[in-house]
Amino acid sequence: MPGCSVQTLKPLQRAAEAPEWAYSTPPRSPRDKEAGTLQVLAALAMLGLGFVALTYRLLQVPPPPTWGQAHPKEVSGSILAWKPLGGEARQQRDSCRLVLVESIPQDLPSAAGTPAAQPLAQAWLQLLDTAQESVHVASYYWSLTGPDIGVNDSSSQQGEALLQKLQQLLDRNVSLAVATSNPTLARKSTDLQVLAARGAQVRQVPMQRLTGGVLHSKFWVVDGRHIYVGSANMDWRSLTQVKELGAIVYNCSHLADDLEKTFQTYWVLGAPQAVLPETWPQNFSSHINRFQPLRGRFDGVPTTAYLSASPPALCPQGRTRDLDALLAVMRAAQEFIYASVMEYCPTTRFSHPARYWPVLDNALWAAAFSRGVRVRLLASCWLNTDPTMFPYLRSLQALSNPSANISIDVKVFIVPVGNHSHIPFSRVNHSKFMVTEKAAYIGTSNWSEDYFSSTSGVGLVVSQRAARTQPGAATVQEQLQQLFERDWSSRYAVGLDGQALGQDCVWQG
């Protein structure tokens, strides 16, 4: 098969129509409640409101919801208006704080030493404990219990605890809204049906029909104040059997509001028979991007931050495209570029025949050649890696010439399978991040063309400089650099001419 492919992410077959529970009423913003009085006064001032409401009821058509469920033909009109989560009062109380989170697969002790990020499972549960009004989740698929994949293993308990925590949230009237991909990889999972029975609102987004890709994003927005962005799907294996990395930003309404706009693009497109708008309405536009990042202090540290998205069709005005964010971080680097991705391929993945796509290759070469930037790329190799990835990795490294101050090094990270061979599609480094001396990029996409042109994803770009008032405090890029160097120097990161021969990448050491 041409190009680089991984079995878990092959083009999905068209599934049956989504069940009825996928099309419940849209989620309510926690700040919609605060704005309720103003909305009522404005509505009463509109002539003919009663007639319109009566007509809707007689025709049995649900009224336009606050958050934008739209008839496809009306997608460019005011019916898409929804009230942003942000409010000046809450944003003035922002005290943003960023925490890196990760999961280390079981039986990988030397990769779990110092330095280390906060355990992902613990961080997710704590984040849900803070939820008071709403939790919005975008995830490629859901598989939080062992029975979902017919596996009886104690390592599924953390995922099952997470599912139970989500049910408890619903029981105490915290709203839960989920946007996920349709068709789904987890065809036997009952997670979303269980949550919908408790009142969760779920939309399955037919991204394949809309853009030719899948909904591959992985992020949370909690109470319009806290966000999670990272590589982990809503899968118990992401907590105990797969190596993941992400970030949680607490008490940061500006970023939460901005990420909510991306969630709303999914929510609108998950409505029955929805189509892509030619132009997204103004209320979906972003005012935080790589040209105008959020500026402030995160835990007292001077910080700039912004969110990016893919594909371009899901980038309303002002939204930085995910590929542009990656390239901007690379081009600004003067000392080093360290990247950890599950898969690296300068081609398309899902089109046949594959097309050559050297955009990221060229950016890395230009950094190494033109500016003497030290480049290190850590790709993953596991049982489902396509060996055709290796010639591309070798070609990238082949241009390294230390005597000419050109440094490009490539390794692959192999998670030992050990006694976990009965758990399918696990034991892999699934992280997708990049760090330079100037910035940290944490994303949800693998590095091949389709992830940026047709498949949905998000990225978080953060840059910090040391605060004079906090000498010795590590910036986020320094923290991420330490995590990368820990993995790079571990016994599980091997050179291309070592144990990673492009075969099955089963751990031999």
Side-chain angles (χ1 to χ4, degrees), residues 52 59 67 80 87 138 144 161 168 188 242 246 258 262 304 429 441 453 505:
V52 172
L59 294 177
W67 285 28
L80 268 181
L144 289 176
Q168 292 170 354
K188 295 183 179 180
V242 174
D258 200 51
T262 294
T304 63
N429 182 10
Y441 168 91
S453 64
C505 277

Side-chain angles (χ1 to χ4, degrees), residues 64-109:
T66 309
W67 285 28
Q69 180 177 358
H71 189 283
K73 292 182 180 179
E74 298 169 316
V75 76
S76 62
S78 61
I79 195 171
L80 268 181
W82 51 276
K83 197 71 175 176
L85 285 172
E88 289 186 7
R90 292 203 180 191
Q91 290 178 350
Q92 288 172 357
R93 297 199 302 269
D94 276 359
S95 55
C96 302
R97 178 170 65 95
L98 186 147
V99 177
L100 295 177
V101 296
E102 67 176 346
S103 60
I104 302 294
Q106 291 183 353
D107 303 323
L108 207 68

Side-chain angles (χ1 to χ4, degrees), residues 44 76 294 456 459 484:
L44 291 175
S76 62
L294 174 67
S456 82
F484 178 90

